[in-house]
Amino acid sequence: MSNYENNEALPVLDSKTRDEESQALLDTRLSEKRIPRHVQCCQSGRGNSLQRHGKASNLLMLVFGFLGGVLSTLTFRFIYPPPSLACAMHPARYPYNHPSFAAMSPQQQQRLLAKPSFPADIGITVTHEYPPPSPTNAFPEKFPTEIGFAGPTATGAEPGVALTAGTYPIWKGIDGLVRPDTWGSKGLPRAGDDVKVIDDKEESARPTPSWIESDTSGKKKGGHHRSKPFNIFQHWGNLSPFYSVPPDSFGITSSTGPEVPPTCELKGVHILHRHGARYPTAGLGFGSPGAFASRIHKVASTTPIKAKGPLSFLNTWTYKLGNDVLTPFGRQQLFDLGVSIRMKYGSLLEGFTDRLPVFRTESQDRMLASATNFAFGFFGWPLDDKLLLSVTVEATQYNNTLAPYKTCPNQWRPEIGDRGEYYQQKWVGVYLQEAHHRIQGLLDGYALSVEDLFAMQMLCAYETVALGYSSFCPLFTEEEWEGFEYTNDLYFWYESGFGSPVARALGSGYVLELLSRLTQIPIRSSSSQPTKSSSTFSVNTTLDADPLMFPLDQPLYVDATHDVILLYVITALNLTTLARDGSPSPDKMRRERTWVSSRIAPFASNMHIQLLSCSDPQLEHDTQIRIILNDGVVALTGVEGCPHQKDGMCPLSTFIETQTKLVEGSDWDWTCHGNWTVPEGDAWRTLTGDPPARPSS
């Protein structure tokens, strides 16, 4: 076996060289000139016995030396196996039994075998379960945490940044994540390996893709330039981390922003927030990252796959994502959100003088984990005696306003519940055409589909929030990331927003609970509630009728839910400012649109419904209500009777009256249990989140 790491042939030595090499390695061939006189005399006469004894001694020394060398070599190679032995310990798999491997030179074979990951491993799922199932040192009784000697524990006054600070804190929400480059930036080529790098001047002059509409707002007339630097984290749709949206995102350009106006005092807040960043859900829908990994792994097990250039990482890529539960970054998001809410509204805890606040979440792992991490951020450790957490069941046949789809059979019909997928697939075929040609040129042995490219973009977002960074991100241009975000905008508009035939009814249950809290009228049944509706929608009346489980007089409420429920609620509240542009088109994208999923429902998205007591003489009523969504004030002009007020406020009595009418006009029974359907695509549309009208009897 060769000692050369690259398995190259040993040099051939001539006789002279061999003699010189032998003398250099082992000094046993002594020249006659170097033999001492007393040894020379032993070559005759009396010296024969010494000669025989010397030969025996030399033979014995050689035997022991040989055995010692063998033992040392075996010991060394057991501790430090060479590459060839390491391969014997890790059996080679495909393609090392392929004819192309046999045709390689020994050097090429050795270099390939020395790689730590085999091409056949492409896309294989890698997991790590923690904690260990049976730790040997698990003796918690020996590690108590409350042992006394805590030192001083006096706290200061509660913070209230939303009331007292001159400037509202801006949330970036990306600590711990590595911001990736995009295609064409920082030396990445714009096409195959042979294409030169585009410099900044050429990049700025690059024309806008034909699938992006020119700006008609008067601020810009097409072109590549943007009003602010491109931030990839803000173009992942519902997979974006929560961030403070631009102040004018939802129709209000308030000079005060989301902080309480100077002439008002904060009386209460109702908070509805999404869970933190998670792994992909277990379903294998369009663009599923797990399905992509399975497809490419299946091909790699029978066909050589070779990626190059910016895609070369795929040669050793493995799938490292779990399912459904929070990622470490997602846990951090909710902890940080809890801290942020305490800093903004901590003063409201002064209203809990003889009881604990009741917060709500659901039984799903990521929902319970999100609420718990939020609580740790808001209250600090330990949580005992600081709050009561109501955990509602998220499962079929259980009424739950935080998961209303579980009791709506029509939502589970693909032509209704998956209505957004038609638009998603149509749009992906538009904006990824150039990327399809470009990235396929970097990959041999696997024919990429447009869905594969969309899955790569999904992997960029999911790997980043799970692992901190993803090599898939730099494969796409800034415009293609804008297109990715628009894919999510289309999907959620038609699946969960104003374009969905079930969204309004699915969001009305939470609005009914909001009215119950605002009016302090409990929901006991369809005939005993704040409205005249014949339905209680997805409300769990067993829980909501119990003042312990569903109190009506708290100054602070916090409910944890999913992204789609936030969109259902926005639709049910009729916040039409977000629907100002009408139904989005799957053929062209408007940059200056108002329905942007990364601004509405990112990971850790949060909606604040503020109750304010104001002394401004220009306001008709003292008590006002307004909605803050991801730090952007939402215009309430879509709520009948609410004025176009500069700070986004509406008289509470007007808001209650209009929301009551909206709830009473929503038909849960027909929406969720009626015998109706809608055709695929644009043959039928809604702008209110309602189904086709119920036939008159």
Side-chain angles (χ1 to χ4, degrees), residues 620-621 636-644 649-651 654-655 657-658:
E620 295 182 4
H621 299 82
L636 300 181
T637 50
V639 179
E640 184 182 355
C642 290
H644 186 77
M649 294 189 291
C650 177
T654 302
F655 182 87
E657 180 181 356
T658 299

Side-chain angles (χ1 to χ4, degrees), residues 11-22:
V12 178
L13 307 179
D14 57 25
S15 58
K16 180 179 179 181
T17 305
R18 282 199 298 270
D19 288 342
E20 292 174 351
E21 289 288 332
S22 298

Side-chain angles (χ1 to χ4, degrees), residues 264-299:
C264 302
E265 294 182 3
L266 183 69
K267 293 299 183 183
V269 175
H270 301 248
I271 295 175
L272 181 66
H273 71 82
R274 187 190 176 195
H275 58 74
R278 56 162 171 77
Y279 294 109
T281 52
L284 298 179
F286 182 78
S288 162
F292 166 75
S294 297
R295 286 193 297 271
I296 198 167
H297 177 63
K298 182 178 180 180
V299 172

Side-chain angles (χ1 to χ4, degrees), residues 82 117 284 496 526 575 610:
S117 181
L284 298 179
S496 311
S526 59
L575 303 183
Q610 296 178 341

Side-chain angles (χ1 to χ4, degrees), residues 266-536:
L266 183 69
K267 293 299 183 183
V269 175
H270 301 248
I271 295 175
L272 181 66
H273 71 82
R274 187 190 176 195
H275 58 74
R278 56 162 171 77
Y279 294 109
T281 52
L284 298 179
F286 182 78
S288 162
F292 166 75
S294 297
R295 286 193 297 271
I296 198 167
H297 177 63
K298 182 178 180 180
V299 172
S301 65
T302 59
T303 305
I305 291 179
K306 178 67 174 178
K308 61 183 179 180
L311 190 60
S312 59
F313 71 90
L314 193 66
N315 293 324
T316 56
W317 175 76
T318 56
Y319 186 70
K320 301 178 178 66
L321 303 177
N323 286 326
D324 294 278
V325 300
L326 293 185
T327 67
F329 174 72
R331 297 197 299 269
Q332 174 191 336
Q333 280 187 296
L334 266 294
F335 179 87
D336 290 346
L337 181 62
V339 173
S340 172
I341 298 300
R342 181 65 175 266
M343 294 299 293
K344 292 172 183 173
Y345 303 121
S347 59
L348 293 176
L349 289 178
E350 296 171 1
F352 294 92
T353 57
D354 58 355
R355 65 194 190 282
L356 298 176
V358 177
F359 293 174
R360 294 193 304 169
T361 188
E362 308 153 39
S363 57
Q364 267 196 356
D365 184 280
R366 67 178 179 270
M367 300 308 309
L368 182 56
S370 292
T372 303
N373 279 281
F374 178 95
F376 273 117
F378 187 88
F379 293 104
W381 177 91
L383 294 179
D384 300 341
D385 303 323
K386 292 180 181 177
L387 89 156
L388 301 170
L389 186 61
S390 175
V391 182
T392 58
V393 177
E394 180 172 349
T396 305
Q397 303 304 318
Y398 283 85
N399 280 327
N400 190 337
T401 59
L402 303 178
Y405 40 71
K406 292 293 186 180
T407 51
C408 182
N410 280 345
Q411 166 66 13
W412 296 98
R413 293 165 55 188
E415 72 273 19
I416 297 174
D418 292 334
R419 180 169 168 76
E421 194 166 300
Y422 165 84
Y423 297 91
Q424 184 183 48
Q425 294 187 30
K426 188 174 181 180
W427 173 245
V428 164
V430 173
Y431 83 93
L432 282 177
Q433 283 301 315
E434 181 184 335
H436 191 192
H437 175 76
R438 182 179 71 241
I439 298 175
Q440 184 66 75
L442 303 175
L443 183 62
D444 296 327
Y446 181 88
L448 290 166
S449 66
V450 175
E451 182 181 0
D452 289 331
L453 297 182
F454 181 62
M456 288 181 176
Q457 290 189 296
M458 298 279 278
L459 278 161
C460 162
Y462 275 121
E463 286 189 340
T464 300
V465 298
L467 308 174
Y469 175 79
S470 173
S471 295
F472 285 101
C473 301
L475 296 176
F476 301 92
T477 66
E478 293 178 2
E479 291 86 357
E480 286 159 1
W481 282 116
E482 290 184 81
F484 175 76
E485 176 177 53
Y486 190 59
T487 307
N488 289 283
D489 298 348
L490 287 164
Y491 180 80
F492 284 107
W493 172 273
Y494 292 104
E495 195 268 347
S496 311
F498 291 94
S500 163
V502 296
R504 181 181 174 191
L506 292 177
S508 293
Y510 183 84
V511 176
L512 180 58
E513 289 183 327
L514 176 63
L515 289 171
S516 177
R517 288 167 168 172
L518 293 175
T519 61
Q520 298 191 6
I521 299 175
I523 306 171
R524 296 191 174 93
S525 65
S526 59
S527 60
S528 178
Q529 54 151 311
T531 74
K532 297 178 181 179
S533 173
S534 60
S535 173
T536 55

Side-chain angles (χ1 to χ4, degrees), residues 598-613:
S598 65
R599 297 181 180 182
I600 302 171
F603 284 133
S605 177
N606 51 100
M607 175 190 289
H608 310 177
I609 302 176
Q610 296 178 341
L611 297 178
L612 307 170
S613 177

